[in-house]
Amino acid sequence: MIIDTHQHFWQYNPVKHSWIDDEMAVIRRDFMPQDLQPVYEEHNITGCIAVQADQTLEENTFLLNLASDYDFIKGVIGWVDFQSDSVQADLDYYAEMPLMKGYRHVVQAEADNSFLLRNAFLNGISKLKNTGAVYEILVFSHQLPAVLEFVKLFPEQQFVIDHIAKPYIKQGYIDSWALLMKAIGSYENVSCKISGMITEADYKSWKTTDLMPYMNVVLEAFGPNRILYGSDWPVCLVAGNYAQVLNVAKAFSGQLSKDEQELFFYKNAQRIYTL
């Protein structure tokens, strides 16, 4: 079995999806479950976690409805405004929905590198502890110092780092990112998705060997019990097809035991997202 812990659906809107720039023009179209289902069937993917791409409550409804209609969508990572006075009511509302597995905020788009440490945001995150929901951390690597301070504050909260925190793979930078990832990985409540790497590398010339040192750092930092496979489909399509992404993950997993491969590809996801 394989659980893909990171993919997106959207009905393309040039305003809502303005982050899709000219270099990414290939994904300026709709991507829906009927587009992904045959890909999963071809590659024997059991199911997925659908992750928000728009920061609205309407996005939650959109994804939850899709998850209700398609059995292979095993859960949703949505969005709420953690700085809002209504955050408790929003969290209580979604806590009644078993398919809502957690939340994230697009922190990578925030100009303030200490966004995660804002008092209002911290207050909102503190309310997650009674819901059982995961919080996913979407940042660039230069925002990792704030991530380290952030996770220290919530030792009982389940965190998942998206896209190995987007190191500068294209430029070949690794050392400072690696130091911070190892520090963050020392906290047992933090896991990491091995995902989103080919779009941080050179779109046209990346090779698996370019990515392997970064994946090995993640393995060292988090261990086989706290790593997860994710494709980042359809965003990955700007740099490669689904088979290429899956082959990178399989090449990495070649160094793992059979039991550890099962953890990476589905058992960790089953545990973290209570699938």
Side-chain angles (χ1 to χ4, degrees), residues 93-113:
Y93 174 74
Y94 291 115
E96 301 297 318
M97 302 181 185
L99 287 168
M100 183 65 91
K101 302 300 183 180
Y103 306 91
R104 76 168 189 174
H105 184 88
V106 185
V107 178
Q108 69 174 31
E110 298 288 346
D112 178 5
N113 284 342

Side-chain angles (χ1 to χ4, degrees), residues 211-225:
L211 312 177
M212 198 64 74
Y214 296 88
M215 293 187 283
N216 288 339
V217 165
V218 172
L219 178 60
E220 181 183 351
F222 295 89
N225 291 298

Side-chain angles (χ1 to χ4, degrees), residues 190-231:
V190 187
S191 301
C192 186
K193 292 183 185 179
I194 293 184
S195 63
M197 294 171 296
I198 67 174
T199 47
E200 298 307 312
D202 188 297
Y203 289 179
K204 293 182 170 54
S205 64
W206 67 269
K207 303 180 295 297
T208 299
T209 51
D210 301 332
L211 312 177
M212 198 64 74
Y214 296 88
M215 293 187 283
N216 288 339
V217 165
V218 172
L219 178 60
E220 181 183 351
F222 295 89
N225 291 298
R226 291 184 286 130
I227 55 174
L228 303 146
Y229 164 69
S231 69

Side-chain angles (χ1 to χ4, degrees), residues 80-97:
V80 295
D81 183 354
F82 283 102
Q83 299 182 90
S84 168
D85 292 339
S86 66
V87 64
Q88 184 68 68
D90 291 337
L91 293 175
D92 289 345
Y93 174 74
Y94 291 115
E96 301 297 318
M97 302 181 185

Side-chain angles (χ1 to χ4, degrees), residues 90-147:
D90 291 337
L91 293 175
D92 289 345
Y93 174 74
Y94 291 115
E96 301 297 318
M97 302 181 185
L99 287 168
M100 183 65 91
K101 302 300 183 180
Y103 306 91
R104 76 168 189 174
H105 184 88
V106 185
V107 178
Q108 69 174 31
E110 298 288 346
D112 178 5
N113 284 342
S114 60
F115 176 88
L116 286 170
L117 303 176
R118 290 181 179 180
N119 287 335
F121 192 80
L122 295 174
N123 179 61
I125 294 294
S126 71
K127 299 181 187 308
L128 276 175
K129 63 185 176 184
N130 297 322
T131 69
V134 173
Y135 180 75
E136 299 213 347
I137 300 172
L138 176 62
V139 292
F140 288 122
S141 59
H142 64 262
Q143 296 169 307
L144 282 175
V147 174

